[in-house]
mmCIF file of all heavy atoms in Angstrom:
data_model
loop_
_atom_site.group_PDB
_atom_site.id
_atom_site.type_symbol
_atom_site.label_atom_id
_atom_site.label_comp_id
_atom_site.label_asym_id
_atom_site.label_seq_id
_atom_site.Cartn_x
_atom_site.Cartn_y
_atom_site.Cartn_z
ATOM 1 N N GLY A 58 13.515 11.962 -18.076
ATOM 2 C CA GLY A 58 12.162 11.881 -17.781
ATOM 3 C C GLY A 58 12.002 11.545 -16.373
ATOM 4 O O GLY A 58 12.881 11.067 -15.512
ATOM 5 N N ARG A 59 10.821 12.039 -15.856
ATOM 6 C CA ARG A 59 10.442 11.869 -14.384
ATOM 7 C C ARG A 59 9.941 10.487 -14.138
ATOM 8 O O ARG A 59 9.129 9.954 -14.960
ATOM 9 C CB ARG A 59 9.469 12.945 -13.939
ATOM 10 C CG ARG A 59 9.883 14.327 -14.178
ATOM 11 C CD ARG A 59 11.394 14.774 -13.680
ATOM 12 N NE ARG A 59 11.545 16.120 -13.464
ATOM 13 C CZ ARG A 59 11.871 17.000 -14.539
ATOM 14 N NH1 ARG A 59 12.083 16.464 -15.743
ATOM 15 N NH2 ARG A 59 11.958 18.327 -14.279
ATOM 16 N N GLU A 60 10.114 10.011 -12.941
ATOM 17 C CA GLU A 60 9.480 8.744 -12.511
ATOM 18 C C GLU A 60 7.981 8.938 -12.333
ATOM 19 O O GLU A 60 7.578 10.008 -11.752
ATOM 20 C CB GLU A 60 10.128 8.226 -11.254
ATOM 21 C CG GLU A 60 9.658 6.791 -10.917
ATOM 22 C CD GLU A 60 10.597 6.162 -9.884
ATOM 23 O OE1 GLU A 60 11.102 6.882 -8.987
ATOM 24 O OE2 GLU A 60 10.723 4.914 -9.925
ATOM 25 N N PRO A 61 7.183 8.109 -12.900
ATOM 26 C CA PRO A 61 5.699 8.323 -12.634
ATOM 27 C C PRO A 61 5.371 8.260 -11.205
ATOM 28 O O PRO A 61 5.995 7.706 -10.321
ATOM 29 C CB PRO A 61 5.139 6.999 -13.325
ATOM 30 C CG PRO A 61 6.136 6.653 -14.312
ATOM 31 C CD PRO A 61 7.400 6.901 -13.617
ATOM 32 N N ARG A 62 4.263 9.034 -10.777
ATOM 33 C CA ARG A 62 3.990 9.046 -9.441
ATOM 34 C C ARG A 62 3.697 7.665 -8.839
ATOM 35 O O ARG A 62 4.057 7.415 -7.702
ATOM 36 C CB ARG A 62 2.645 9.894 -9.331
ATOM 37 C CG ARG A 62 2.027 10.003 -7.891
ATOM 38 C CD ARG A 62 0.830 10.896 -7.837
ATOM 39 N NE ARG A 62 1.244 12.290 -8.279
ATOM 40 C CZ ARG A 62 0.260 13.250 -8.281
ATOM 41 N NH1 ARG A 62 -0.938 12.991 -7.957
ATOM 42 N NH2 ARG A 62 0.637 14.510 -8.610
ATOM 43 N N ASP A 64 4.525 3.715 -8.938
ATOM 44 C CA ASP A 64 5.656 2.917 -9.392
ATOM 45 C C ASP A 64 5.237 1.714 -10.234
ATOM 46 O O ASP A 64 6.060 1.034 -10.853
ATOM 47 C CB ASP A 64 6.489 2.479 -8.242
ATOM 48 C CG ASP A 64 5.688 1.570 -7.227
ATOM 49 O OD1 ASP A 64 4.870 0.822 -7.504
ATOM 50 O OD2 ASP A 64 5.944 2.012 -5.917
ATOM 51 N N PHE A 68 7.620 3.474 -17.173
ATOM 52 C CA PHE A 68 8.476 4.748 -17.405
ATOM 53 C C PHE A 68 9.117 4.567 -18.755
ATOM 54 O O PHE A 68 9.654 3.562 -19.105
ATOM 55 C CB PHE A 68 9.431 4.838 -16.278
ATOM 56 C CG PHE A 68 10.593 5.866 -16.672
ATOM 57 C CD1 PHE A 68 10.325 7.119 -16.496
ATOM 58 C CD2 PHE A 68 11.800 5.487 -17.047
ATOM 59 C CE1 PHE A 68 11.300 8.062 -16.878
ATOM 60 C CE2 PHE A 68 12.862 6.336 -17.331
ATOM 61 C CZ PHE A 68 12.546 7.685 -17.291
ATOM 62 N N PRO A 83 14.862 6.790 -14.400
ATOM 63 C CA PRO A 83 14.241 8.062 -14.325
ATOM 64 C C PRO A 83 14.835 8.989 -13.357
ATOM 65 O O PRO A 83 15.739 8.644 -12.646
ATOM 66 C CB PRO A 83 12.785 7.638 -13.749
ATOM 67 C CG PRO A 83 13.055 6.437 -12.965
ATOM 68 C CD PRO A 83 14.272 5.691 -13.695
ATOM 69 N N ASP A 84 14.359 10.224 -13.346
ATOM 70 C CA ASP A 84 14.912 11.214 -12.367
ATOM 71 C C ASP A 84 16.403 11.428 -12.516
ATOM 72 O O ASP A 84 17.005 11.246 -11.513
ATOM 73 C CB ASP A 84 14.404 10.949 -10.959
ATOM 74 C CG ASP A 84 12.925 10.979 -10.839
ATOM 75 O OD1 ASP A 84 12.202 11.701 -11.660
ATOM 76 O OD2 ASP A 84 12.369 10.300 -9.945
ATOM 77 N N ARG A 109 13.548 1.511 -1.517
ATOM 78 C CA ARG A 109 12.763 1.894 -2.699
ATOM 79 C C ARG A 109 12.928 0.947 -3.804
ATOM 80 O O ARG A 109 12.032 0.614 -4.555
ATOM 81 C CB ARG A 109 13.230 3.293 -3.221
ATOM 82 C CG ARG A 109 12.781 4.497 -2.365
ATOM 83 C CD ARG A 109 11.243 4.632 -2.578
ATOM 84 N NE ARG A 109 10.832 4.795 -3.801
ATOM 85 C CZ ARG A 109 9.682 4.441 -4.262
ATOM 86 N NH1 ARG A 109 8.784 3.885 -3.557
ATOM 87 N NH2 ARG A 109 9.334 4.651 -5.553
ATOM 88 N N THR A 113 10.887 -0.567 -7.100
ATOM 89 C CA THR A 113 11.028 -0.010 -8.449
ATOM 90 C C THR A 113 12.153 -0.803 -9.179
ATOM 91 O O THR A 113 12.397 -0.472 -10.416
ATOM 92 C CB THR A 113 11.485 1.431 -8.414
ATOM 93 O OG1 THR A 113 12.622 1.613 -7.632
ATOM 94 C CG2 THR A 113 10.386 2.276 -7.756
ATOM 95 N N ARG A 116 18.765 0.331 -8.789
ATOM 96 C CA ARG A 116 19.303 1.620 -9.486
ATOM 97 C C ARG A 116 20.783 1.478 -9.502
ATOM 98 O O ARG A 116 21.480 0.735 -8.744
ATOM 99 C CB ARG A 116 18.904 2.876 -8.672
ATOM 100 C CG ARG A 116 17.510 3.271 -8.691
ATOM 101 C CD ARG A 116 17.246 4.618 -8.122
ATOM 102 N NE ARG A 116 15.896 5.015 -8.105
ATOM 103 C CZ ARG A 116 15.250 5.553 -9.131
ATOM 104 N NH1 ARG A 116 16.012 5.809 -10.248
ATOM 105 N NH2 ARG A 116 14.062 5.949 -9.157
#
Side-chain angles (χ1 to χ4, degrees):
R59 306 306 199 278
E60 188 163 33
R62 177 177 297 180
D64 53 45
F68 166 76
D84 296 331
R109 285 294 303 151
T113 62
R116 290 189 180 273

